[in-house]
Amino acid sequence: MSSLRWCLILNGKCAGDMPLREAVAAMRGEGIAVEVRVTWERGDAERYVAEAIEHGVDTVIAAGGDGTFSEVAGALAGRDADADTLPTMGLIPLGTANDFADAAGLPIEPLAALQLIRAEKAQSIDVLRIIADGNTRWCVNMLSGGFSAKVSADTNSRLKQRLGGIAYLLTGIAELGNIETQPARVAASGLDWQGEFIALACGNGRQAGGGHVLCPDAYIDDGLLDVTIVPPPDGDVLATLGTLLNEGTVAALEQAAVRRQSRSVEIHAPDAFDLTLDGEPAMASSLRIDCLPRRLRLHLPPGCPLLSSPAR
């Protein structure tokens, strides 16, 4: 019989998910002690993580969307302890876009996700620490700003439930005529850029907003974040955004984007602008983003494409 102890932190919106209930029961049937905690409001995940560490669990599992994943990961990454002394982390993707899980090749089915956590050794990954107007936040996947963030924030939750990731595309197309550029200064290693942008991203992972690849060369274990800035092109802004939404983001980035890799980046704007941090909306005018190398240990599939040297 297994002696493993897990704490599964579940987004309250997903509490009725029957495949997840059945998967948890199956793991318990194999001798794994699975404690389930349901989040209701901000701060719950941090409290549950602290309790899990106190109880000596082996693995903390986030069950929900990218925002739940980020909240649980941030609660672990923010602890005053080495990553090797903290519980490992797993993810059951139950959100709409599941951008991180999609790019990482993680299984969507709860039972398969739990079986992977049991079978695969955790890999050390980086985490982004963000100081936004003096407040500390965390990201595992990506911070995005400008048009892409506005689309994510404006996409109706009911539409997302009904249509999944395509809801972001439909919202983006509907808002093409209302796009405004944002002035900012972006400073990173080998980059001191100032001007107007229509979208920017600081990625540990590669995609956001329902599958839009904003940082195509990013890895989650290389100690670097990837910076992408999309300034207004010389031609038609709407045409570029249409390419971004309809033909794939990578094609648009190749045409117009400024891209760099750096351990940290600072962004300063005269006014607060729209942001998303792992899918969660925010606003800020001054940010510092630092990549903290090997800050978490995450269970990932063999050959995960987000690892610079995928485990086999």
Side-chain angles (χ1 to χ4, degrees):
M1 294 292 286
S2 173
S3 60
L4 290 174
R5 297 182 62 198
W6 293 351
C7 176
L8 190 153
I9 300 176
L10 172 64
N11 186 313
K13 297 176 182 178
C14 307
D17 189 277
M18 285 307 300
L20 176 61
R21 288 175 178 264
E22 293 167 358
V24 169
M27 292 294 102
R28 287 173 173 165
E30 296 183 16
I32 300 176
V34 185
E35 301 175 359
V36 178
R37 299 290 182 266
V38 179
T39 63
W40 180 254
E41 57 192 358
R42 184 174 294 279
D44 282 350
E46 186 171 1
R47 175 163 53 87
Y48 294 150
V49 165
E51 291 175 357
I53 293 172
E54 183 178 351
H55 295 165
V57 305
D58 300 290
T59 301
V60 174
I61 302 167
D66 290 316
T68 301
F69 178 43
S70 180
E71 189 175 4
V72 175
L76 277 170
R79 304 287 297 186
D80 186 16
D82 292 336
D84 290 343
T85 68
L86 294 170
T88 63
M89 186 172 177
L91 173 61
I92 303 175
L94 298 176
T96 302
N98 296 316
D99 277 301
F100 181 87
D102 182 47
L106 283 163
I108 298 298
E109 298 78 10
L111 181 57
L114 290 176
Q115 289 172 334
L116 181 147
I117 293 167
R118 180 187 58 186
E120 299 297 334
K121 181 180 178 180
Q123 305 295 317
S124 295
I125 70 165
D126 309 333
V127 176
L128 303 186
R129 181 182 61 200
I130 299 158
I131 311 296
D133 290 340
N135 300 309
T136 301
R137 302 282 296 269
W138 300 88
C139 273
V140 181
N141 186 42
M142 186 174 297
L143 174 149
S144 61
F147 174 69
S148 57
K150 182 171 176 57
V151 168
S152 182
D154 289 353
T155 302
N156 183 275
S157 59
R158 290 185 179 180
L159 191 65
K160 289 191 288 184
Q161 290 174 357
R162 293 179 61 184
L163 300 179
I166 197 173
Y168 295 98
L169 175 62
L170 295 177
T171 302
I173 292 172
E175 293 188 352
L176 278 176
N178 302 317
I179 299 307
E180 296 181 359
T181 60
Q182 172 68 44
R185 181 173 182 175
V186 181
S189 178
L191 176 68
D192 188 357
W193 181 92
Q194 186 166 355
E196 303 268 339
F197 70 85
I198 54 176
L200 68 80
C202 296
N204 189 36
R206 295 180 183 172
Q207 67 183 51
H212 297 298
V213 180
L214 300 174
C215 298
D217 299 324
Y219 292 103
I220 57 174
D221 64 342
D222 61 355
L224 299 170
L225 60 85
D226 283 45
V227 183
T228 297
I229 306 166
V230 184
D234 294 335
D236 187 353
V237 173
L238 297 185
T240 297
L241 289 171
T243 300
L244 186 149
L245 285 166
N246 296 307
E247 298 180 16
T249 319
V250 174
L253 296 183
E254 290 176 350
Q255 295 178 23
V258 176
R259 293 165 54 193
R260 294 290 189 280
Q261 291 185 317
S262 180
R263 294 188 181 276
S264 64
V265 60
E266 293 191 16
I267 304 169
H268 299 284
D271 300 301
F273 59 94
D274 289 299
L275 298 166
T276 59
L277 288 71
D278 283 349
E280 295 299 308
M283 295 191 74
S285 61
S286 179
L287 302 107
R288 178 182 172 93
I289 304 103
D290 292 294
C291 181
L292 304 187
R294 304 174 67 85
R295 191 67 196 95
L296 288 179
R297 294 178 296 147
L298 180 65
H299 295 271
L300 293 163
C304 174
L306 294 184
L307 294 174
S308 57
S309 299
R312 300 291 179 183

